[in-house]
Amino acid sequence: MRYNQLGNTGVLVSELCLGTMTFGGRGFWETIGKVPQEEVNQLVKTAIDGGINFIDTANAYSEGLSETMLGKSLKDLGINRQQLVIATKVRIRMGPGTNQVGLSRLHIMDSVNDSLKRMGLSHIDLLYIHGVDPLTPLEETMRGLEDVVRSGKVRYIGISNHPAWMVTKANAIAERNGWTKFSAGQYYYSLASRDIEREIIPMAQAENIGIMPWSPLAGGFLSGKYTRQQEKAGDSRRDEFDFPPIDKVKAYDIIDVMLAIARSHEVSAAQVALAWMLKKPGVSSIIIGAKKMEQLNDNLASTQLELTDAEMEQLDAISALTPEYPAWMVERQMRDRFPQ
């Protein structure tokens, strides 16, 4: 296991991060996973034993139950709190109240207090804003985040599912006021969907923001269970919850290449997908989730897989983005930038 900087901070996080979306399985999240407490403890222990020091949850996962189960797991296992970097999130609705949602200063403060209580912790290492709230001015959100940082309840802040322009604007607001800037960005990124390479990753590199990809296996579609001949895996959440959206025709072509490379290394297709992402610029830590111990162990093994330059080129070529404006114009105009 290698360790990378959390953005422009001095904190080091493991290149794989344990995601907890499968913990509990309450309400909407039931289709994603219903891992009970005993198995949660086993997954957390295996992850830590495998070198993971970074755990990601969210207040909305299983309506708060994921945070509760994570906190109990740390207590049951007797984990030294200072060994871990724990991240959670705020934005999604957490109750019927008019203001129990969004990124207002009020909801940020309430959510942080509630998350700390559920997890039984004194502070959150990394707090992400989970998505865009068009009703709340960015100035108010950044002030609310600064308040919880200065209170000592949050150490660092991150951003998720926001367009690049909003991230740079928010960081500019923070810099102008002497407030905390974003250190991490959590975005959907996979071999089947490289959209963030257009604007998000270049922005993150310019802003010193570490990219933490979520759903690196495209909701299980790149696990190797899905092929043109087998459109239903039978034991995957993708069968019932077809998310995140992907171009499946293109994804099957990618899977063909992945499976060939996997056979040559005698590993799973999932390991190939993760190993590819571990070598991509800007990626600090990949969020992996598991319902079963064998899934977690297989994901952990991806850190030992070294893809060749030729294999990386194969995967890059089959999954390449279609050029979009203004990128194709920039490339075209660069042709005469240097003297012939």
Side-chain angles (χ1 to χ4, degrees):
M1 187 71 65
R2 290 177 287 267
Y3 298 87
N4 302 314
Q5 278 184 272
L6 176 65
N8 199 31
T9 77
V11 175
L12 298 179
V13 293
S14 49
E15 60 186 337
L16 295 182
C17 171
L18 179 64
T20 66
M21 194 185 289
T22 60
F23 294 4
R26 178 186 289 168
F28 164 83
W29 309 92
E30 185 175 355
T31 58
I32 296 170
K34 297 183 287 185
V35 180
Q37 187 67 57
E38 183 178 345
E39 293 176 23
V40 165
N41 292 2
Q42 293 173 354
L43 290 171
V44 171
K45 184 179 186 305
T46 299
I48 294 172
D49 289 347
I52 287 179
N53 76 338
F54 192 18
I55 300 180
D56 179 82
T57 187
N59 59 353
Y61 294 168
S62 292
E63 302 171 359
L65 183 58
S66 174
E67 286 185 328
T68 300
M69 296 178 80
L70 173 60
K72 187 174 188 313
S73 177
L74 300 180
K75 183 178 179 181
D76 289 348
L77 295 170
I79 303 299
N80 182 339
R81 174 67 180 87
Q82 294 181 12
Q83 289 182 316
L84 298 176
V85 176
I86 296 176
T88 192
K89 309 178 190 73
V90 54
R91 159 62 178 87
I92 298 176
R93 178 168 289 281
M94 291 302 295
T98 306
N99 294 303
Q100 287 183 281
V101 64
L103 295 174
S104 66
R105 187 180 179 195
L106 181 150
H107 186 58
I108 288 171
M109 296 178 113
D110 285 347
S111 294
V112 165
N113 289 332
D114 290 345
S115 288
L116 290 173
K117 184 176 180 179
R118 280 190 290 266
M119 290 189 286
L121 302 178
S122 61
H123 72 275
I124 295 162
D125 296 307
L126 175 62
L127 178 69
Y128 291 99
I129 53 175
H130 208 164
V132 175
D133 175 10
L135 298 185
T136 304
L138 278 174
E139 289 85 353
E140 179 180 347
T141 296
M142 297 309 291
R143 177 55 195 267
L145 292 171
E146 179 65 14
D147 288 344
V148 293
V149 169
R150 293 201 182 193
S151 73
K153 295 178 180 179
V154 171
R155 299 293 193 252
Y156 301 98
I157 59 172
I159 191 164
S160 180
N161 304 320
H162 281 69
W165 71 266
M166 291 188 79
V167 183
T168 54
K169 181 178 179 180
N171 265 357
I173 291 168
E175 185 169 13
R176 183 173 67 242
N177 289 284
W179 297 342
T180 306
K181 296 168 69 174
F182 293 119
S183 301
Q186 191 171 134
Y187 286 91
Y188 170 48
Y189 188 27
S190 75
L191 262 168
S193 184
R194 297 170 58 184
D195 297 338
I196 68 169
E197 292 180 7
R198 299 189 191 280
E199 300 287 345
I200 300 294
I201 288 181
M203 173 277 299
Q205 292 178 305
E207 293 283 320
N208 291 313
I209 292 173
I211 292 291
M212 317 296 178
W214 60 264
S215 205
L217 300 181
F221 201 84
L222 301 179
S223 63
K225 298 177 181 178
Y226 294 91
T227 64
R228 289 183 181 82
Q229 294 73 39
Q230 183 170 312
E231 296 183 0
K232 293 283 186 179
D235 61 347
S236 173
R237 66 181 173 92
R238 261 280 182 187
D239 291 347
E240 305 298 330
F241 183 55
D242 199 15
F243 182 86
I246 57 174
D247 178 346
K248 292 184 180 178
V249 174
K250 181 177 181 179
Y252 285 133
D253 291 337
I254 296 169
I255 289 169
D256 288 342
V257 175
M258 287 171 56
L259 288 172
I261 293 173
R263 284 191 292 269
S264 71
H265 287 275
E266 298 184 339
V267 299
S268 68
Q271 287 188 42
V272 173
L274 295 174
W276 172 83
M277 186 166 289
L278 286 170
K279 296 185 75 169
K280 301 307 287 183
V283 172
S284 295
S285 185
I286 301 172
I287 301 167
I288 58 171
K291 290 187 288 186
K292 300 175 182 178
M293 192 65 67
E294 53 265 35
Q295 291 175 321
L296 178 56
N297 284 323
D298 186 72
N299 287 178
L300 288 170
S302 67
T303 62
Q304 305 302 313
L305 175 59
E306 287 292 334
L307 298 176
T308 66
D309 290 344
E311 289 166 341
M312 287 294 293
E313 289 172 5
Q314 279 184 281
L315 292 167
D316 283 342
I318 196 66
S319 63
L321 292 169
T322 302
E324 288 188 351
Y325 178 84
W328 57 257
M329 180 60 82
V330 173
E331 188 277 330
R332 186 182 185 90
Q333 292 180 329
M334 279 298 293
R335 294 175 188 173
D336 68 350
R337 184 63 181 83
F338 292 97
Q340 299 299 317

